[in-house]
Amino acid sequence: MRKFNIRKVLDGLTAGSSSASQQQQQQQQQHPPGNREPEIQETLQSEHFQLCKTVRHGFPYQPSALAFDPVQKILAVGTQTGALRLFGRPGVECYCQHDSGAAVIQLQFLINEGALVSALADDTLHLWNLRQKRPAILHSLKFCRERVTFCHLPFQSKWLYVGTERGNIHIVNVESFTLSGYVIMWNKAIELSSKSHPGPVVHISDNPMDEGKLLIGFESGTVVLWDLKSKKADYRYTYDEAIHSVAWHHEGKQFICSHSDGTLTIWNVRSPTKPVQTITPHGKQLKDGKKPEPCKPILKVEFKTTRSGLC
């Protein structure tokens, strides 16, 4: 059996380390510390870089309009910069932008039809097709002589009602997106004996039980129930304070208005002389039956019914 010699192994390790140190010394002599290699010249400049959006997170900035399709469960949000965000089930989201950049003042879904109408501050209406991978505008309609203030599209209707700052209401055919010849003029809607202008249209809605009856709210405080077939007003309701919002009771026999002084007025459709009830929900109630102190305007009101019958 061959004997193992540990001395030869140690001598081999010593020789290997000495040769490695000699190579390192030679490299230092060839490249002394004072003579560094020339730095790599950078060719990238500031114009080679550009910021871009990769993701949008959270609720849209400066929201100005909102709409919801209760059948397809789609939420649409418009902003003051003309952006349009669509939210579906978790993980489903889409972003669109109006080319003009004008603020979105109102949105109306064509319920369960995969379409949406947007009204902009530049008095333009757009019809969006949502039934494709990337939503796109199908039709546009520009109002040149009047400013758009309010829009209403009844359920499963092809007629879009457009109220203006002059107090008139124009009717648009949604299928062709063109104006019809039917116009509700403000001077025909209010009392013929009244010479004062009722102000811009701030509300339009159809009676829940009769789509042929249209409720029109003017900023000055006047509300008109218009018969579309006979083309005349059935009733007119007048209140001293400006109107901000109107809502129907689901039975179609009453409606409620919110006003600039913080009051809510409830009206019976067939009793136009005075409201059946006046409420100041946020005002301080005074003693001795005096009128409550006015407070900030109520900008939006909804007429809901609970199981106990309270609204």
Side-chain angles (χ1 to χ4, degrees):
M1 183 176 180
R2 189 176 179 181
K3 294 183 179 180
F4 178 75
N5 194 337
I6 187 64
R7 181 176 295 178
K8 291 183 179 180
V9 174
L10 295 176
D11 291 343
L13 292 174
T14 304
S17 61
S18 60
S19 61
S21 60
Q22 290 176 1
Q23 292 178 1
Q24 185 177 3
Q25 290 176 1
Q26 292 176 0
Q27 291 177 359
Q28 290 178 356
Q29 291 176 0
Q30 294 175 1
H31 303 286
N35 299 331
R36 295 182 178 179
E37 294 182 358
E39 296 182 358
I40 298 175
Q41 186 176 2
E42 184 63 68
T43 59
L44 295 177
Q45 303 296 330
S46 60
E47 56 267 18
H48 297 151
F49 299 88
Q50 182 179 4
L51 294 176
C52 65
K53 292 183 179 180
T54 57
V55 66
R56 293 176 177 85
H57 179 72
F59 200 77
Y61 179 61
Q62 292 181 329
S64 55
L66 188 79
F68 181 68
D69 187 331
V71 179
Q72 297 186 349
K73 303 294 190 298
I74 302 175
L75 176 68
V77 182
T79 71
Q80 294 183 12
T81 57
L84 179 63
R85 293 276 293 277
L86 300 172
F87 300 93
R89 60 186 178 181
V92 178
E93 180 182 338
C94 183
Y95 171 86
C96 306
Q97 176 69 45
H98 293 90
D99 293 336
S100 65
V104 181
I105 60 174
Q106 197 170 355
L107 296 170
Q108 288 278 317
F109 269 107
L110 277 69
I111 305 291
N112 199 29
E113 294 186 22
L116 176 73
V117 175
S118 59
L120 305 187
D122 62 356
D123 309 312
T124 306
L125 304 178
H126 300 283
L127 177 63
W128 290 81
N129 180 15
L130 309 180
R131 287 177 287 184
Q132 54 192 42
K133 187 174 181 180
R134 183 69 179 175
I137 295 176
L138 288 179
H139 302 287
S140 297
L141 182 63
K142 173 72 173 179
F143 282 75
C144 299
R145 298 182 180 180
E146 297 188 63
R147 304 214 63 182
V148 175
T149 56
F150 196 89
C151 297
H152 173 64
L153 180 63
F155 178 62
Q156 292 183 338
S157 173
K158 67 175 182 178
W159 302 112
L160 173 68
Y161 300 95
V162 182
T164 67
E165 191 176 33
R166 292 186 180 182
N168 303 321
I169 296 178
H170 301 267
I171 303 178
V172 178
N173 187 317
V174 176
E175 296 175 353
S176 61
F177 223 63
T178 56
L179 287 170
S180 70
Y182 194 159
V183 181
I184 303 174
M185 306 298 293
W186 68 268
N187 54 354
K188 292 184 179 180
I190 66 171
E191 291 283 358
L192 297 177
S193 59
S194 177
K195 296 181 180 180
S196 60
H197 193 277
V201 176
V202 296
H203 178 82
I204 308 171
S205 62
D206 57 305
N207 189 309
M209 304 304 293
D210 187 356
E211 61 182 10
K213 306 290 185 180
L214 204 64
L215 197 66
I216 306 168
F218 296 94
E219 188 181 59
S220 62
T222 300
V223 179
V224 176
L225 184 65
W226 184 266
D227 190 311
L228 291 170
K229 294 181 179 179
S230 63
K231 298 184 179 181
K232 65 178 182 179
D234 285 347
Y235 300 101
R236 297 177 178 91
Y237 316 84
T238 305
Y239 194 70
D240 295 336
E241 298 293 335
I243 291 176
H244 285 276
S245 177
V246 184
W248 278 102
H249 187 275
H250 68 90
E251 294 180 349
K253 297 179 180 180
Q254 288 185 330
F255 63 89
I256 187 171
C257 302
S258 67
H259 300 276
S260 57
D261 63 345
T263 58
L264 298 173
T265 55
I266 300 176
W267 299 79
N268 285 333
V269 172
R270 298 183 179 274
S271 301
T273 53
K274 64 177 182 179
V276 66
Q277 189 176 4
T278 302
I279 312 168
T280 309
H282 308 293
K284 184 178 179 181
Q285 300 295 329
L286 302 178
K287 297 180 179 180
D288 302 330
K290 294 182 179 180
K291 185 178 179 180
E293 294 180 355
C295 56
K296 293 183 178 180
I298 299 177
L299 302 180
K300 184 66 177 178
V301 65
E302 292 287 343
F303 211 163
K304 303 296 183 182
T305 305
T306 63
R307 291 182 179 179
S308 61
L310 299 177
C311 298

